[in-house]
Amino acid sequence: MLRIRRRTGVSAPVDAPFAIMTTTTKHPTMPTTLLRYLAVGAFNTAFGYGCFALFTLLLTPLLAYGYVLASLLANLFAITFSFLGYKWFVFKTHGNYLKEWIRCLGVYTGSMLLSAAVLPVLVPIVQHQTGNAHSAPYIAGAIVLVFSVVFSFFGHRHISFGGSKPSP
């Protein structure tokens, strides 16, 4: 009899053929999960950055720090878009949509707050380095985006979808 360690950390005896099927079909490997995450993330990045650029274009003439509000609004739109991709394609969970979306929102809230805090510091630095006040918010937004991707992957893997059952 073979003992396998389940996702909950509890090991249980099982028949060897069943153990092989269970570990290969129900628990995707880290590289597979990461590749799927990056694929969904690429689409979400384009969508989210497009929202950021549009909102920045619309809000900058109206507000002194329009790019900060643009970042917050773009993130809210992108959260729901990415949540569905992660749920259906990356982590393939079977859990409650609302519960997982709220956890996903929590992960992204941390990312949004960090981005909103860093942008007012980073935009003037980029502006000084490039000499271009118009493009500085866009470049700074792209820089912040890279750090958000790393933060979010681990948050979603362990918090948003970590407690849900994988789909069959």
Side-chain angles (χ1 to χ4, degrees), residues 57-154:
L57 180 70
L58 297 173
L59 295 172
T60 297
L62 304 174
L63 303 168
Y65 294 99
Y67 53 83
V68 174
L69 182 56
S71 175
L72 295 172
L73 291 173
N75 275 297
L76 289 173
F77 279 91
I79 286 170
T80 301
F81 183 80
S82 68
F83 165 73
L84 295 172
Y86 296 146
K87 179 168 182 59
W88 296 335
F89 185 66
V90 178
F91 302 107
K92 299 181 179 184
T93 59
H94 203 63
N96 180 295
Y97 276 80
L98 181 60
K99 187 176 180 181
E100 287 177 341
W101 187 82
I102 290 170
R103 291 189 304 222
C104 185
L105 185 62
V107 168
Y108 274 126
T109 297
S111 180
M112 280 184 357
L113 292 174
L114 184 60
S115 295
V118 170
L119 278 171
V121 175
L122 191 56
V123 167
I125 293 169
V126 171
Q127 182 178 349
H128 178 73
Q129 292 295 318
T130 64
N132 189 336
H134 179 72
S135 64
Y138 302 97
I139 296 167
I143 293 168
V144 168
L145 189 72
V146 172
F147 293 99
S148 294
V149 168
V150 174
F151 175 85
S152 297
F153 173 75
F154 288 104

